[in-house]
Amino acid sequence: MIHVNEHYAKLQASYLFSEIAKRVKAYQEEHPDKPVIRLGIGDVTEPLPPACIEAMRKAVDEMAVRETFRGYGPEQGYAFLREAIAKNDFQARGAKIDASEIFVSDGAKCDTANIQELFDTKLTIAVPDPVYPVYVDTNVMAGRTGACRRGRYKGLVYLDSTQENGFVPALPDVPVDLIYLCFPNNPTGATASRKQLTEWVKYAKKNKALILFDAAYEAFIRDPKIPHSIYEIEGARDVAIEFRSFSKIAGFTGTRCAYTVVPDSVVAYTKKGEAVPLRPMWNRRHTTKFNGVSYPVQRAAEAVYSDAGKAQTRALTDFYLGNAAIIRALFEKAGFPVTGGVNSPYIWINVGKDSWKFFDRLLKRAQVVTTPGAGFGKMGEGYIRISAFNSRENVEKALKRIAKVLK
Ligand code: MLT
C-alpha cells in the first residue's frame, strides 16, 4: 500500500502567499471595477537591467548557431558566473570564498529547503519568529517537527524577534544544531551588525552548530558598517552556508537565478562525532538532482557584475529603496512604530491589532495588498509587512488610498 507523507497534514492551511492570493482573487471577482495594488509578496515590477537583457540576447543568438550552441552545462553553474560571483560578492569584501564553493541554482527558496537533505531528521532547529515561512514549512514536510499548537510547531526552537531586541533575536538558551538567519530580514527589514553576527558565529563554533544564512536582500544595504555576507565575519567559513539570489538585485524573480555558498571548511558530524565536509555532499546532491540554470540566464546574471550592470542594478535597488522611504514616512507620520525600509525593501509596521483584520481592511477599503504579520509566525501578530517592489506611480497611488483609510 502506498502511504502518504503524513507530516504534510501538520502544515497550516495553505502557504502564506497562496492564502493572500486566494483572498485577493475573491475580492477582485466581487469587485472587478476596483483595481488592487500589490504591495504584498516581494515580487519585482521593473524590467531586467539593459546589461542583462543584452547579455541574454547575445546568449540566445549563440544558441541558434551550431558552433556556439550549448547543451547541458555544468550542474554547479558555468565558471564565468561562479568566478564573477566569488570575485565581486565576496573577495571584494574581504571574504575568502572561491568559485568552487559556489553552486548556481534556480532559486534561494528551493536551496534553503533542499539543503536539509544533508542533515539528519533528528536535529534541534532554531528559527526566528517572525520568519520566512519556507524555513519552517519545509522542515515540517521533512518530519523534523511535531504538531502545530497555537501557531508553533513542537520541536522547533523559536527565537523571538521583537521591537525590544530590534528584531535581531538573542542566542538560544538551549543547545541547537541548525540555525536559520536572514539579514536584511524578511519580513521585518531589520539588519544585523557585525557584532551581532560575530556572536552567532561564535555560538555555532562552540556548539558545533550550523548557520543557514539567507542574504537574498543584501543588495539593499546602504550603511557601510553592515556586513553583506556572513563570511565577512571571522570563522564563518567553518559554520555557515549562505544563500543569495539575483531576484531582488536584478529583477530575476521570473527569470530565476540564485546561488548557494558551501565553503570547503564547513562541516557537519556523524553520530560518532566525525566531521564530514558538506561541500562534496551538496555537490553530490546538486549533480544528482539538478541540471543547471539555462545558459542565457547565467549570461544575464554574469552581466550584473559588468560596469554597466553594477550601475544599473544599483539604480534599480535605489529606486525600490526610494519607494520604501515614502511608505515608511507615511506610516511614521501616522504614528505607527516602523522597522525596515532602510537597507531593506520591506517595511514592518506595528499596527497593534489582528494583522489579518488589518490586511482585510486595507484590501477592502484601499484596494492595497499587504502581508499580515501573523503569516510569518506568532510574534508577527499585530504587524503588517509592506513590500516596496512596485512602480513609483502605484506606490504613490496606494499610499494616498491608505492615508484616507488611516484617517
Ligand atoms: C516574500 O514576499 O517574502 C518573497 O517574495 C518570498 C520569496 O522571495 O520567495
Side-chain angles (χ1 to χ4, degrees):
M1 190 191 299
I2 175 78
H3 294 285
V4 296
N5 176 353
E6 292 191 29
H7 300 301
Y8 272 61
K10 296 175 195 161
L11 291 164
Q12 298 307 285
S14 52
Y15 181 56
L16 171 62
F17 294 106
S18 313
E19 174 61 28
I20 292 172
K22 205 169 84 191
R23 290 192 189 209
V24 174
K25 189 165 173 270
Y27 178 79
Q28 279 190 308
E29 277 167 7
E30 271 175 44
H31 305 90
D33 53 323
K34 293 191 171 165
V36 299
I37 299 175
R38 292 165 198 274
L39 301 178
I41 192 165
D43 192 7
V44 295
T45 54
E46 304 309 296
L48 296 177
C52 300
I53 291 290
E54 202 183 304
M56 200 190 289
R57 279 211 179 105
K58 194 166 161 264
V60 170
D61 287 343
E62 285 176 45
M63 297 297 266
V65 177
R66 178 176 299 280
E67 287 68 33
T68 47
F69 169 80
R70 300 191 190 217
Y72 291 128
E75 294 94 340
Q76 303 88 341
Y78 284 101
F80 61 76
L81 179 57
R82 299 169 86 198
E83 276 158 19
I85 291 169
K87 182 168 158 241
N88 291 281
D89 285 346
F90 299 99
Q91 293 159 11
R93 293 191 180 281
K96 289 194 193 85
I97 293 297
D98 187 75
S100 61
E101 298 170 318
I102 295 185
F103 294 83
V104 176
S105 77
D106 61 350
K109 174 178 173 176
C110 335
D111 283 355
T112 57
N114 292 334
I115 197 83
Q116 293 170 34
E117 274 186 39
L118 307 194
F119 311 117
D120 190 20
T121 44
K122 289 183 189 61
L123 289 181
T124 309
I125 297 169
V127 289
D129 183 359
V131 67
Y132 178 43
V134 172
Y135 312 154
V136 172
D137 288 2
T138 54
N139 275 295
V140 174
M141 290 169 174
R144 288 199 178 84
T145 74
C148 187
R149 298 260 180 277
R150 288 186 288 278
R152 288 197 157 177
Y153 287 95
K154 203 161 173 270
L156 290 183
V157 173
Y158 287 89
L159 308 168
D160 292 353
S161 302
T162 61
Q163 222 155 277
E164 289 66 43
N165 61 26
F167 300 99
V168 180
L171 299 175
D173 47 17
V174 291
V176 301
D177 309 309
L178 191 62
I179 303 150
Y180 286 84
L181 293 179
C182 171
F183 291 109
N185 188 258
N186 180 11
T188 67
T191 52
S193 67
R194 184 171 295 276
K195 186 165 170 274
Q196 285 164 326
L197 291 181
T198 303
E199 277 172 23
W200 278 105
V201 168
K202 279 190 187 154
Y203 174 91
K205 283 212 148 185
K206 189 166 160 221
N207 292 278
K208 294 194 165 158
L210 180 74
I211 297 170
L212 298 179
F213 191 75
D214 185 348
Y217 299 94
E218 61 74 37
F220 294 88
I221 296 173
R222 292 293 178 271
D223 181 341
K225 292 195 293 300
I226 300 172
H228 288 238
S229 164
I230 189 106
Y231 304 121
E232 290 175 55
I233 309 300
E234 207 192 314
R237 272 187 58 86
D238 305 337
V239 290
I241 289 176
E242 183 165 307
F243 304 91
R244 293 272 189 111
S245 167
F246 292 95
S247 284
K248 316 290 157 117
I249 181 175
F252 275 52
T253 52
T255 308
R256 311 306 306 153
C257 196
Y259 66 87
T260 289
V261 189
V262 188
D264 271 337
S265 49
V266 77
V267 294
Y269 299 87
T270 62
K271 295 224 165 64
K272 285 186 185 152
E274 294 147 344
V276 178
L278 292 177
R279 198 187 75 81
M281 280 181 78
W282 184 242
N283 189 54
R284 183 70 171 85
R285 192 264 171 212
H286 213 60
T287 49
T288 306
K289 295 198 177 183
F290 187 63
N291 252 342
V293 172
S294 78
Y295 174 67
V297 169
Q298 291 196 54
R299 279 294 185 199
E302 181 197 21
V304 164
Y305 303 104
S306 65
D307 288 345
K310 281 180 188 165
Q312 291 160 9
T313 51
R314 177 75 179 200
L316 199 56
T317 48
D318 275 349
F319 169 76
Y320 290 125
L321 284 169
N323 285 347
I326 58 174
I327 297 168
R328 192 184 157 114
L330 176 102
F331 280 90
E332 272 179 335
K333 203 168 147 216
F336 292 90
V338 180
T339 314
V342 180
N343 301 304
S344 157
Y346 293 128
I347 303 98
W348 185 244
I349 304 154
N350 185 341
V351 293
K353 53 188 85 135
D354 185 315
S355 61
W356 276 107
K357 257 197 196 148
F358 201 87
F359 164 88
D360 281 332
R361 188 171 156 219
L362 290 185
L363 175 62
K364 291 177 183 162
R365 294 184 48 200
Q367 292 77 48
V368 176
V369 184
T370 57
T371 307
F376 296 104
K378 192 173 155 191
M379 302 307 287
E381 184 53 289
Y383 291 83
I384 58 156
R385 189 195 77 175
I386 298 195
S387 149
F389 294 111
N390 215 314
S391 65
R392 184 61 49 83
E393 191 194 347
N394 273 349
V395 169
E396 283 171 352
K397 214 188 281 175
L399 291 179
K400 268 196 201 130
R401 293 187 198 166
I402 292 175
K404 267 196 204 154
V405 174
L406 295 182
K407 256 186 199 157

